[in-house]
Amino acid sequence: MKKEHQYHSEAEQICCAVDEKVNSKKHHDHDHDHDHDHSHDGDGGWKMFLPAILSFVLLMIAIGIDNYFPIAVFSGWVRIGWYILAYLPVGLPVLKEAFTAIKRGDIFTEFLLMSIATLGAFYIKQYPEGVAVMLFYAIGELFQTLAVTRAKSNIKALLDQRPDTATVIVDDNVVSKKAEEIKIGEIIQLKPGEKLALDGKLLSASATFNTAALTGESKPDSKQQGETVLAGMINLNTIALVEVTTAYTDSKLSKILEMVQDATAKKAPTELFIRKFAKIYTPIVVFLAIGICLLPMLFVSDYVFNEWLYRALVFLVVSCPCALVISIPLGYFGGIGAASKNGILFKGSTFLDVMASIQAVVMDKTGTLTKGVFKVQKVVAATVSEKELIQYTAALETKSTHPVGTAIIEYANGLEKGVTITDVEEIAGHGLKGKANGKTILAGNVKLLKKFGIAYDTAIENTPYTIIVIAINEQYAGYFLIADEIKEDAKTAVDSLHRLNIKTVMLSGDKQAVVDAVARELNIDAAHGDLLPEDKVRKVEELKKQNLKLAFAGDGVNDAPVVALADAGIAMGGLGSDATIETADIVIQNDQPTKIFTAISIGKKTRQIVWQNISMAFIVKAVVLILGAGGLATMWEAVFADVGVALLAILNAVRIQKMKF
């Protein structure tokens, strides 16, 4: 996949990407995964370490002979040749890269720094140090490769969720077809354990699927006939038939994959600064090294060229910006990977930084904090039994298509069956009238009972939720309290945000009384109801005038203007809507509001790790640079300041992959 390759190579190339040209199409025409020839050849595993192992063994033998087990023959050109032999496995690829980069116009790269430093060491006869610098540099590169691969593992897991082939029923025959060749309307046969290749509609009576690849949740999801099933879902129990409703390239999973793979295009400000810094920093370092070597001859009476050249070489090795320019993007890649593992998709590392500094979270009510589905919350029977009240009301509501009626029928759970309904009349703006087993039933709002002059308990008029009052044979019989059900983790989500001192605000088009009731239950700081889309925009603008960094969480479709206005737009349940994926900056796939807190936590931890690496790299390098220029540091300290710090930074960056949020 072209985009996958782009993602991979950009990540790994960033260490030496002193010029953006490395990301050009021309530079990506080769097939291997890593643009550094010395890193690995695509086979992976232990084979990529072979050159470094060979070089290390030869170097250790030479140091042993030099210092502990002298051999007469190991002198002169034999000794030089041995060190050259130890240098070539790790040094030759770097020299080639330096030469190639110069031909491309990229003169000041880390390849040039390392080439000058190591060849200079050979020139002044510091052969062990020359080999050691290149060896440890190569080892650092290998660890960079491994770290980046680890950082991408969650995204690769996503890529693996889309099968290349699927079993299709054609004229009562079962045939295997390439997924991209399957057309809308064709029927896929899905065996237990198989992954669905395309979005579709379930034709079987029921089936259970593992949706972890899409939502991050391992809990099985049961689907009924006619319900939507998505590419990447794994069938768990019986053979299922699925009618394809979406082309291969337009599936929800395809859109998600495209989004994640493109995430690296939106760099965080810190990342962009470091890359720009490296472009300026590297040539300055080269000229400073030349100055350290040559300028002292104007001021020092006993000037020795080789001594000052050595100091310059130490300076070059230390100054290599590798620790910064690999560990920082790696930190952000790790953050994006950790988020995707938790069912959160960031559209770029810049939004990790934004989420880390969020001061207020504005949330839509319906679909974000509530399930967006009407449910019977309470049944109160007055003059009849509760069973009878439910039975007659549900039977009458079978003649209605109103969502409230559907909620009552669902609550009855078949209790209404066997009741004969006649003479049904819908009274506009009031409710229904009809006969159930010969009894006259009225079901609707309080206005319905007032219309027919039936007395009822007036206390119910103060209830903020939807009330369906019932009269049987012209006598008040009770009521149903119906409300949009609050999500199980909504209260936890709000409490978690409060622990971070983040202000919570709820905006909704629902009645203010309903909104206030939900806000009280969830302990939300501020709640505004009766809002049109333009009113929501106005409320968000008011918050922004308070200089608050804010995120907006909603469905991403109706709330598109608000999503655009917020510093970070969060779409809840991104699998439900194409528009959600298009408009939002962050997509929460499993519809859980607690994931807002998780996204903020990942953003904060990513920023912390990035700044830890920046601080560590600058402090260590500054100390050793000063010591090196003063002649107090050798190549061995320089190796630690470069490769050692880079490795520490890399290990620190990949920590986020193991963290639980």
Side-chain angles (χ1 to χ4, degrees), residues 261-280:
Q261 290 174 65
D262 289 344
T264 54
K266 294 181 180 176
K267 304 292 182 188
T270 312
E271 195 173 347
L272 290 170
F273 170 75
I274 290 295
R275 293 180 71 173
K276 289 175 182 176
F277 171 78
K279 289 181 183 182
I280 301 166

Side-chain angles (χ1 to χ4, degrees), residues 445-519:
N445 51 35
V446 292
K447 290 188 291 183
L448 180 67
L449 268 62
K450 286 178 180 177
K451 181 179 174 69
F452 286 90
I454 298 170
Y456 62 92
D457 182 3
T458 54
I460 65 176
E461 293 181 4
N462 300 320
T463 305
Y465 300 109
T466 301
I467 294 286
I468 302 299
V469 289
I470 312 299
I472 299 176
N473 288 337
E474 298 182 356
Q475 187 178 9
Y476 171 65
Y479 67 87
F480 290 78
L481 189 150
I482 295 174
D484 188 3
E485 196 175 357
I486 293 173
K487 290 180 180 177
E488 290 82 0
D489 67 327
K491 182 71 165 64
T492 306
V494 174
D495 291 343
S496 300
L497 293 171
H498 284 160
R499 285 202 306 272
L500 296 176
N501 294 318
I502 293 172
K503 183 178 181 180
T504 54
V505 180
M506 182 168 64
L507 305 179
S508 178
D510 277 1
K511 296 186 296 183
Q512 187 64 52
V514 175
V515 172
D516 287 340
V518 174

Side-chain angles (χ1 to χ4, degrees), residues 229-256:
V229 287
L230 301 172
M233 289 183 175
I234 302 172
N235 185 24
L236 292 179
N237 42 27
T238 58
I239 293 177
L241 298 180
V242 177
E243 182 184 340
V244 177
T245 57
T246 310
Y248 182 75
T249 52
D250 296 329
S251 69
K252 295 288 188 300
L253 183 59
S254 294
K255 291 180 183 295
I256 290 169

Side-chain angles (χ1 to χ4, degrees), residues 256-425:
I256 290 169
L257 297 180
E258 186 177 345
M259 187 187 82
V260 176
Q261 290 174 65
D262 289 344
T264 54
K266 294 181 180 176
K267 304 292 182 188
T270 312
E271 195 173 347
L272 290 170
F273 170 75
I274 290 295
R275 293 180 71 173
K276 289 175 182 176
F277 171 78
K279 289 181 183 182
I280 301 166
Y281 167 88
T282 309
I284 290 173
V285 160
V286 172
F287 288 115
L288 282 174
I290 294 170
I292 290 171
C293 180
L294 300 178
L295 286 179
M297 72 171 62
L298 304 176
F299 310 104
V300 179
S301 57
D302 56 345
Y303 175 81
V304 179
F305 175 77
N306 281 8
E307 181 185 327
W308 287 96
L309 176 61
Y310 183 79
R311 294 186 187 187
L313 298 176
V314 170
F315 186 86
L316 276 180
V317 174
V318 177
S319 63
C320 182
C322 194
L324 288 173
V325 294
I326 185 63
S327 67
I328 291 169
L330 197 58
Y332 285 112
F333 290 163
I336 290 172
S340 67
K341 188 166 69 175
N342 283 275
I344 305 164
L345 301 178
F346 280 84
K347 286 189 176 179
S349 53
T350 184
F351 300 112
L352 284 165
D353 272 1
V354 171
M355 290 303 283
S357 46
I358 288 295
Q359 297 164 296
V361 175
V362 183
M363 294 168 280
D364 186 32
K365 181 181 77 70
T366 307
T368 302
L369 295 169
T370 66
K371 295 180 179 180
V373 180
F374 283 107
K375 294 279 185 183
V376 175
Q377 305 295 328
K378 188 178 179 183
V379 179
V380 176
T383 57
V384 297
S385 69
E386 185 177 307
K387 180 182 177 182
E388 192 177 1
L389 184 68
I390 295 169
Q391 188 177 31
Y392 288 156
T393 308
L396 182 63
E397 292 291 353
T398 59
K399 306 301 179 183
S400 169
T401 56
H402 197 281
V404 168
T406 306
I408 292 173
I409 295 165
E410 187 179 313
Y411 186 80
N413 196 26
L415 201 62
E416 78 282 2
K417 291 176 180 175
V419 178
T420 304
I421 300 295
T422 56
D423 303 333
V424 178
E425 179 187 354

